[in-house]
Amino acid sequence: MEMVRKADLLLSKVTYFYLGKSLFSLNYKVLSHMPDMVKDKLIVWLTSSLYDDSKSMKVEHHLMEGKGLTHINDTNLKSDAGIFTGESVVIRRGIPLESMGINTDTVGSMEVGFHDWFKRGGISLMEGIEDGENVTELASKLRTDVKGDAVRTLTHEHLHWRTLKGTSAGSIIDAVSWRVELDQAVFSEMVHELTGVPREVNQNTLELIKKNSDEIVGAMMREDAVSLFEDLVKHSYFLSFYYPSMISVLLEPVAWALVEEDFVKKKEEYLDYYFSSLSDRSREIAGTVLDASVERVRRGERKSLINACRDALDFPMSEASSMKVVGEADPYSLTQQLTRSHEYLFDRFMKSLQGEEITRENKAERSFRRVLVYGGKKATNEFGVNILRKNLNPSIYGFSLMMSRYTKLALDKPSFIVYSHSKGNEPVILVYDVTAPSLRSMGKSIENVNVSPLTGRVVYRPMDMVGELGYSIVPSLLIMYYSSFLGEVDEEELLRQLVQIGFTIKFMSGNYKEYLKFVKSIFNGDVKGSYPRVLSGGSEGMEEFLRFWLNLVTRLGESCRFLSAEQGMQC
């Protein structure tokens, strides 16, 4: 007993030595050399002290109740080429990277070339294109064709980030993005801990799920699991459908005017393609924003155009909440709500463009601390904390990155994620992220500081610390959403959306015939799953999802581990 007492006393002294320092002086080099017992205490302390409601975003989210979904309200933003998640610029359709001067002979040469392209001035090149500057010399240095699809797509999505960063809209989207990611991770952990389903997806795992689906569903029927799932559904709806559509009437036309000359030449065609699912008034607003933006570009006022868009999106959160622009959505009548939101943003945009003063949000109200507190509100239960405690070194690494971001040491640039293939057709997901400098591609790091002992994965996002099964949760919700419109909207549109959700399976495995069979089963009526019932919440809604999800997993087989979506918006 005396030895135990002395050990506890020593641990307390060591812990006090570290925690007595300023929190933000504890960079990774300091944190990583702590004894594991101290790391564990630090993680428990951070998770219990960091999440304080008084420091959270002043926006809460709610979904209105209704009877049935009859119209796809989201803007047609799920591009086959590039997407912007709110934090990351993503290219998902194997655009050749040779036009960026990158050697694609091997995955290794691609990783080196991609990282070097950014280090040598790739972001400056994109900013120069956006600002209408002469970039000939820099493009030559980077051996880059600025007219090539790769740079054009990267620049378009980077411009979205540049327009949204540091605005209240951007902070809300960031907060909801973290909420969805952390909810999904903790819900996945509950599945593993409460049901015994293994973290690795293999034939044994699939057989266990197939034979014991009733028991798995039964084990999850707990109040805390239901509450967490309801929160996940609610925030994933805002992230996947409402917020991308809300900001689209500004972000897209402004980007077209600045960097998409062909879109401007064929503006009616692209306005129809992107905004046909919205109201006539919303489409009209997008067209007016485009015309005003083109005129500003013609006059050489590019930066004032970007600033006007940023002003419009940096609305006072309390005002926007009271007007139901943010925080509340009606999935059953979203078109009318989006029209009102578009009118609000359009009015702010035009006033700013014309030099009128408009009220912006206080910087402190949209700080990263508030984003993080909101994002982690539901993740501090025992299962969420256990994820971190079972992954000590990756968790400490992650906390050090968040501290760096909080103190503004590494927040100037988005991350860039590109799905591509080497000349030998080997798939690779390239990554450039200033907050994760050791990462070169998904699953590969030049250092092993952030490998999860639970999953064996290099940790880039919280889900990487949990297991392979949980990545498919949010995509499964998207599949349920679109499936609910069967018989209500054009089947070709539904098919396109459903097939696109399975893109990652095709990319990683080269074959997604099992996924296509599942999609066919939806159209044949062999697969049932009511998204409105999931939206209604309660244990019945969670059970509806769990049975749909487990059915999807077993039908896809081992390829289900490739069904995933980037953290953030999918637009």
Side-chain angles (χ1 to χ4, degrees):
M1 288 296 293
E2 180 64 18
M3 186 176 293
V4 172
R5 189 189 69 79
K6 289 182 177 179
D8 283 343
L9 181 62
L10 177 61
L11 178 59
S12 296
K13 288 181 177 179
V14 174
T15 303
Y16 180 78
F17 170 78
Y18 284 107
L19 300 189
K21 294 177 178 292
S22 166
L23 177 62
F24 299 112
S25 72
L26 297 178
N27 61 28
Y28 180 70
K29 288 183 178 178
V30 175
L31 294 168
S32 63
H33 287 89
M34 290 178 174
D36 282 353
M37 287 185 290
V38 177
K39 291 177 185 175
D40 185 78
K41 277 186 174 287
L42 177 61
I43 286 169
V44 173
W45 176 72
L46 282 170
T47 52
S48 64
S49 63
L50 188 62
Y51 303 113
D52 176 354
D53 274 348
S54 68
K55 302 296 184 183
S56 185
M57 301 267 298
K58 297 297 190 290
V59 175
E60 292 296 330
H61 288 84
H62 310 279
L63 292 177
M64 305 289 285
E65 295 183 1
K67 292 184 178 179
L69 299 169
T70 59
H71 183 67
I72 296 180
N73 299 110
D74 58 312
T75 338
N76 193 7
L77 298 173
K78 296 171 181 61
S79 168
D80 286 347
I83 62 174
F84 171 62
T85 69
E87 280 297 314
S88 300
V89 169
V90 184
I91 293 183
R92 300 191 75 184
R93 290 288 186 228
I95 294 174
L97 299 182
E98 287 87 352
S99 63
M100 295 169 64
I102 294 173
N103 181 346
T104 60
D105 285 348
T106 66
V107 165
S109 68
M110 294 172 73
E111 290 171 342
V112 171
F114 187 71
H115 195 265
D116 286 353
W117 189 84
F118 286 99
K119 294 290 286 184
R120 292 169 58 230
I123 293 177
S124 296
L125 177 68
M126 289 184 282
E127 289 174 345
I129 293 170
E130 294 159 10
D131 293 339
E133 298 172 354
N134 186 336
V135 296
T136 304
E137 185 175 340
L138 181 54
S140 176
K141 171 188 169 185
L142 295 173
R143 293 178 289 118
T144 294
D145 176 8
V146 296
K147 300 292 186 182
D149 284 345
V151 171
R152 184 187 62 77
T153 305
L154 283 171
T155 303
H156 180 119
E157 304 301 337
H158 175 267
L159 182 55
H160 287 338
W161 173 83
R162 182 179 174 185
T163 308
L164 195 60
K165 72 165 185 174
T167 67
S168 51
S171 294
I172 291 170
I173 290 168
D174 202 10
V176 174
S177 170
W178 277 105
R179 185 78 159 245
V180 170
E181 176 72 4
L182 292 170
D183 281 1
Q184 180 179 231
V186 176
F187 189 77
S188 302
E189 181 68 10
M190 294 183 79
V191 170
H192 295 305
E193 289 294 320
L194 296 174
T195 72
V197 172
R199 299 177 189 277
E200 182 183 359
V201 174
N202 54 35
Q203 283 303 315
N204 291 334
T205 303
L206 296 167
E207 285 299 319
L208 184 149
I209 293 173
K210 192 177 294 185
K211 291 178 180 177
N212 299 284
S213 60
D214 288 341
E215 289 79 3
I216 292 170
V217 171
M220 291 296 292
M221 289 299 144
R222 298 167 32 133
E223 186 177 338
D224 53 353
V226 171
S227 175
L228 178 63
F229 180 71
E230 289 175 337
D231 197 70
L232 171 58
V233 170
K234 173 176 62 179
H235 285 92
S236 69
Y237 182 87
F238 277 95
L239 191 63
S240 297
F241 306 116
Y242 181 71
Y243 286 133
S245 296
M246 184 192 87
I247 63 178
S248 64
V249 295
L250 294 187
L251 258 63
E252 288 300 333
V254 167
W256 299 355
L258 288 166
V259 299
E260 297 285 10
E261 186 178 335
D262 287 345
F263 284 32
V264 175
K265 290 177 180 177
K266 303 175 182 177
K267 71 172 187 176
E268 296 302 325
E269 177 184 334
Y270 282 99
L271 286 168
D272 282 342
Y273 178 78
Y274 275 79
F275 303 108
S276 59
S277 62
L278 300 178
S279 69
D280 291 343
R281 176 56 182 156
S282 289
R283 185 198 180 283
E284 181 185 0
I285 287 172
T288 305
V289 170
L290 178 59
D291 291 340
S293 300
V294 168
E295 175 60 21
R296 291 288 166 155
V297 170
R298 187 186 65 79
R299 287 157 52 179
E301 299 173 3
R302 286 171 170 260
K303 289 185 178 178
S304 69
L305 173 60
I306 294 173
N307 288 335
C309 192
R310 289 176 50 74
D311 287 345
L313 293 168
D314 195 22
F315 43 75
M317 294 188 200
S318 57
E319 176 184 272
S321 294
S322 67
M323 297 178 67
K324 296 182 171 53
V325 172
V326 298
E328 185 174 297
D330 183 354
Y332 306 95
S333 186
L334 199 62
T335 304
Q336 292 86 343
Q337 182 181 355
L338 283 169
T339 303
R340 292 193 299 272
S341 298
H342 293 155
E343 292 278 15
Y344 172 76
L345 294 176
F346 175 62
D347 180 64
R348 290 178 58 83
F349 173 75
M350 293 305 293
K351 284 180 178 177
S352 178
L353 203 60
Q354 291 159 9
E356 295 184 39
E357 283 291 323
I358 58 172
T359 307
R360 298 183 63 175
E361 182 56 273
N362 184 301
K363 187 176 180 180
E365 293 299 321
R366 48 174 167 76
S367 69
F368 180 63
R369 171 71 183 270
R370 292 192 181 277
V371 166
L372 194 61
V373 171
Y374 186 92
K377 186 172 184 179
K378 300 288 284 189
T380 54
N381 65 15
E382 61 177 300
F383 296 95
V385 175
N386 283 343
I387 293 172
L388 302 179
R389 297 179 76 181
K390 294 172 183 175
N391 291 275
L392 284 179
N393 288 329
S395 298
I396 290 295
Y397 185 73
F399 273 122
S400 71
L401 294 180
M402 285 191 287
M403 291 172 195
S404 174
R405 180 172 174 180
Y406 183 75
T407 52
K408 297 288 184 183
L409 298 178
L411 189 57
D412 278 359
K413 301 172 179 66
S415 57
F416 294 85
I417 301 170
V418 171
Y419 289 68
S420 193
H421 288 89
S422 68
K423 286 182 179 177
N425 207 35
E426 186 177 355
V428 60
I429 305 175
L430 300 166
V431 179
Y432 178 79
D433 189 334
V434 292
T435 66
S438 67
L439 200 68
R440 292 294 182 269
S441 63
M442 290 298 182
K444 187 184 290 188
S445 172
I446 58 175
E447 301 171 9
N448 288 323
V449 296
N450 53 339
V451 176
S452 166
L454 278 186
T455 67
R457 285 176 175 262
V458 173
V459 176
Y460 184 57
R461 53 189 282 194
M463 275 302 308
D464 294 334
M465 295 189 288
V466 181
E468 295 178 325
L469 197 62
Y471 294 101
S472 60
I473 290 176
V474 168
S476 295
L477 284 169
L478 295 177
I479 293 168
M480 287 192 82
Y481 170 79
Y482 287 111
S483 300
S484 295
F485 293 103
L486 194 62
E488 299 287 347
V489 301
D490 180 60
E491 287 195 358
E492 280 193 21
E493 171 64 11
L494 286 183
L495 181 62
R496 188 179 72 85
Q497 298 285 7
L498 289 169
V499 167
Q500 196 159 301
I501 293 169
F503 158 76
T504 50
I505 298 177
K506 182 180 181 181
F507 177 85
M508 293 304 298
S509 69
N511 184 344
Y512 64 156
K513 64 180 181 181
E514 295 304 323
Y515 179 76
L516 295 179
K517 285 180 183 177
F518 184 81
V519 171
K520 185 177 180 180
S521 296
I522 291 172
F523 282 88
N524 291 342
D526 297 334
V527 174
K528 303 292 184 183
S530 170
Y531 188 76
R533 192 173 298 163
V534 170
L535 284 178
S536 67
S539 57
E540 297 85 359
M542 188 177 77
E543 180 175 353
E544 183 80 6
F545 171 77
L546 285 172
R547 294 196 180 280
F548 180 90
W549 177 49
L550 295 175
N551 182 26
L552 169 65
V553 165
T554 54
R555 282 176 175 246
L556 295 188
E558 293 189 41
S559 69
C560 77
R561 69 180 185 271
F562 300 127
L563 182 61
S564 64
E566 272 74 37
Q567 178 181 338
M569 297 186 295
Q570 302 300 302
C571 69

